[in-house]
Amino acid sequence: MTSNDITPVILCGGSGTRLWPVSRKGFPKQFIDLIGDGSLFQQSSTRLSGDGFADPLIVTNSDFRFIATQQLHDAGLTPGKVLIEPQARNTAPALLAAALVMAQDDDQALMLAAPSDHYITQADVFCASVMRGKAAALNGQIVTFGIKPDKPETGYGYLELGANEVNGALPLKRFVEKPQRADAERMLADGGYLWNAGIFMYTARTMIDAFAAHAPDMLAQVREAIEQAQPDLGFLRLAPEPWGKCADISVDFAIMEKVSNLSVIAHEGDWSDMGGWNAVHAHAEKDADGVALQGRSHAVECKDTLLRSESGAVQLVGLGLENIVAVAMPDAVLVADRSRTSTLGDVVKQMRAAGVPQADTFPKDHRPWGFFETLILSDSFQVKRIVVNPGAALSLQSHEHRSEHWIVVVGTAKVTVGPTQDDLTVQMVKANESIYIPLHAIHRMENPGDTPMELIEVQTGSYLGEDDIVRYDDIYARGQGAKG
């Protein structure tokens, strides 16, 4: 890393409900292999790596911290720092926290704030746009990156450009909220407007000074959250009490619409915020009839349609469909007119209010050690498939209401079990072998191998909830009642 290297600040705490049922609160769109090579988060992180870039600073929440670091590892990347938000407070507090942490080492550190769920295929063109903005950012400007519009889009905010380029960037005249169709057509014809991509570059000091001038209360609150922050397994967990006092507000409203030192770089390459299923359809590979097929899907006499199956056991067939999105999951199916998919966020809110579990959760539940998925669930028993990553281990734990039977199907499990912590035995359970874990027994499952280990777990008991857990030891430092 050199003094002029750019530190990407990647925000990955959103929920992406407009891509339901694939994206949900428990595992949102940035972590999904939605389109292209790897998840959107992996693509964003890889795009902002290599020459000219430092290791990224990740801002996420407690539920996603291990998912984010595992996906970075799988992409061959290493995070510089990972900040854990105690609760969601939008982009203003998140970006301020990142700037304050960077300023502890170098208040002139150059930072690029980027969402984790944008889709850009021309990485070299985008990086060239970023590098064009360095001189302005190093000279005290906050540089935002606008996208040259190719249609009168009403789903994006716009940037109205000023005149007289300085340090390779144009001054920003004003932000324009999402327009009506007629206004969008007018701005497209005018040529002096760009889509607002929500990507910013600045030095740590420039951003801190902006908050000091326009949001001093938040500056004091976030500074206190950092001063009281606690290290946690390589993460920095921000203090919840001062963080909870921060306003829930975007950096656009809190800062960007108020500052006078904002410049714009026009990025003329491809870009999408992957804001819904129409964006996926637009960027997916399609046949001559505009039909995009993903997963186990098949179309007959369809037109301008997206069919996606997320399960190898579910064959999705579309017959005579036009302008439709159909997405099949193991536990939920979406069939919608493409013109209506922008309202999916409201549909998810309705399901959440009605207590529909599929609004937020998946049958597959990700954990620091791997994942499990529920295969069968009844009142008195449950069957799960459990996959444990190489070298990973579940916590040493016991259950008050259920017993478990483990059947290893791939790899070898290292199992610790006994009636008390002073009377534990360890045995290796190979593929096609099984072990019984009695009610109240203290136990732990580990994968000593270098490939994922899989087993089938059969639970029986009076209560099968994930919070039925007494935890004695955990390499991931999770407390009592934490899942997994």
Side-chain angles (χ1 to χ4, degrees):
M1 175 178 175
T2 69
S3 59
N4 282 338
D5 280 351
I6 300 168
T7 296
V9 180
I10 301 178
L11 309 178
C12 54
S15 58
T17 54
R18 286 184 294 169
L19 283 164
W20 188 91
V22 169
S23 173
R24 307 183 202 178
K25 183 178 179 181
F27 198 75
K29 67 173 181 176
Q30 60 265 28
F31 299 120
I32 297 168
D33 292 350
L34 193 63
I35 191 168
D37 186 13
S39 71
L40 295 175
F41 170 65
Q42 288 174 314
Q43 292 179 47
S44 296
S45 302
T46 301
R47 185 165 57 244
L48 302 176
S49 65
D51 292 343
F53 293 100
D55 291 335
L57 188 157
I58 307 299
V59 184
T60 187
N61 60 44
S62 188
D63 290 340
F64 300 154
R65 66 195 192 279
F66 293 109
I67 296 172
T69 52
Q70 182 63 50
Q71 288 204 352
L72 284 176
H73 177 269
D74 292 344
L77 302 172
T78 303
K81 300 178 188 292
V82 181
L83 307 186
I84 306 301
E85 296 178 286
Q87 54 187 296
R89 277 293 179 265
N90 216 312
T91 56
L95 294 181
L96 175 57
L100 287 168
V101 167
M102 290 296 296
Q104 291 174 347
D105 297 323
D106 178 9
D107 70 356
Q108 292 303 310
L110 198 55
M111 308 174 68
L112 179 74
S116 59
D117 53 4
H118 289 183
Y119 182 63
I120 298 171
T121 59
Q122 299 166 303
D124 56 340
V125 177
F126 178 74
C127 288
S129 297
V130 170
M131 295 306 168
R132 290 205 313 272
K134 284 184 67 173
L138 289 170
N139 278 278
Q141 293 290 298
I142 297 176
V143 179
T144 187
F145 296 85
I147 310 301
K148 188 174 182 180
D150 58 7
K151 58 184 175 182
E153 176 62 58
T154 60
Y156 300 145
Y158 283 70
L159 308 170
E160 183 177 0
L161 303 176
N164 302 322
E165 184 177 289
V166 179
N167 290 316
L170 286 168
L172 175 68
K173 189 172 182 180
R174 68 182 177 108
F175 287 90
V176 181
E177 296 299 321
K178 295 177 182 178
Q180 298 296 317
R181 178 79 182 187
D183 290 331
E185 291 175 346
R186 176 184 57 78
M187 289 188 288
L188 179 65
D190 179 277
Y193 296 82
L194 302 174
W195 291 335
N196 181 8
I199 303 170
F200 302 96
M201 185 160 60
Y202 45 83
T203 66
R205 174 49 53 193
T206 298
M207 183 58 74
I208 294 168
D209 288 345
F211 275 87
H214 301 289
D217 290 347
M218 183 176 293
L219 177 59
Q221 293 154 354
V222 175
R223 197 187 300 275
E224 186 178 357
I226 292 172
E227 290 171 350
Q228 299 176 18
Q230 296 294 320
D232 179 2
L233 297 176
F235 309 110
L236 184 65
R237 190 180 292 274
L238 302 174
E241 184 176 352
W243 187 262
K245 297 176 183 177
C246 294
D248 185 348
I249 187 171
S250 72
V251 74
D252 293 59
F253 289 131
I255 300 298
M256 301 306 174
E257 294 188 1
K258 300 175 181 178
V259 297
S260 59
N261 59 329
L262 212 156
S263 299
V264 184
I265 293 289
H267 169 64
E268 298 188 3
D270 69 319
W271 171 87
S272 172
D273 69 346
M274 280 294 140
W277 285 114
N278 278 334
V280 177
H281 178 265
H283 291 275
E285 183 178 346
K286 297 179 284 292
D287 66 14
D289 294 316
V291 176
L293 303 177
Q294 298 179 329
R296 294 179 62 88
S297 55
H298 182 67
V300 179
E301 297 179 3
C302 294
K303 185 177 181 181
D304 298 328
T305 287
L306 170 65
L307 302 178
R308 179 184 178 110
S309 173
E310 284 287 311
S311 171
V314 176
Q315 177 68 45
L316 177 61
V317 177
L319 174 60
L321 303 178
E322 184 171 350
N323 207 46
I324 294 295
V325 170
V327 183
M329 301 281 291
D331 66 329
V333 175
L334 168 70
V335 181
D337 190 294
R338 284 181 48 215
S339 67
R340 301 291 301 277
T341 55
S342 61
T343 64
L344 262 178
D346 294 331
V347 175
V348 172
K349 289 179 182 178
Q350 294 170 14
M351 290 191 295
R352 189 178 295 141
V356 177
Q358 287 90 340
D360 292 319
T361 61
F362 288 99
K364 179 183 286 188
D365 206 329
H366 292 264
R367 292 287 182 264
W369 42 261
F371 69 86
F372 71 80
E373 55 184 334
T374 301
L375 305 178
I376 302 174
L377 175 61
S378 75
D379 292 337
S380 60
F381 75 93
Q382 181 172 199
V383 181
K384 294 180 177 180
R385 172 181 173 236
I386 298 177
V387 177
V388 183
N389 294 330
L394 281 69
S395 60
L396 186 67
Q397 59 185 259
S398 65
H399 307 295
E400 295 296 310
H401 303 285
R402 71 174 185 258
S403 60
E404 297 172 342
H405 188 189
W406 296 342
I407 305 98
V408 178
V409 293
V410 176
T412 298
K414 180 182 178 182
V415 178
T416 301
V417 63
T420 69
Q421 292 189 73
D422 298 325
D423 187 16
L424 298 174
T425 61
V426 177
Q427 64 184 94
M428 307 302 286
V429 183
K430 300 178 181 179
N432 297 321
E433 296 179 348
S434 64
I435 187 170
Y436 176 66
I437 309 297
L439 183 70
H440 303 305
I442 297 173
H443 58 279
R444 167 177 269 157
M445 177 199 313
E446 303 176 58
N447 178 6
D450 55 10
T451 58
M453 181 267 291
E454 299 187 33
L455 58 84
I456 301 299
E457 177 183 80
V458 181
Q459 302 176 356
T460 57
S462 60
Y463 177 70
L464 305 173
E466 286 299 311
D467 56 349
D468 176 22
I469 183 169
V470 178
R471 201 182 306 277
Y472 304 93
D473 180 60
D474 182 41
I475 63 175
Y476 307 108
R478 294 167 296 171
Q480 294 291 348
K483 298 178 180 179

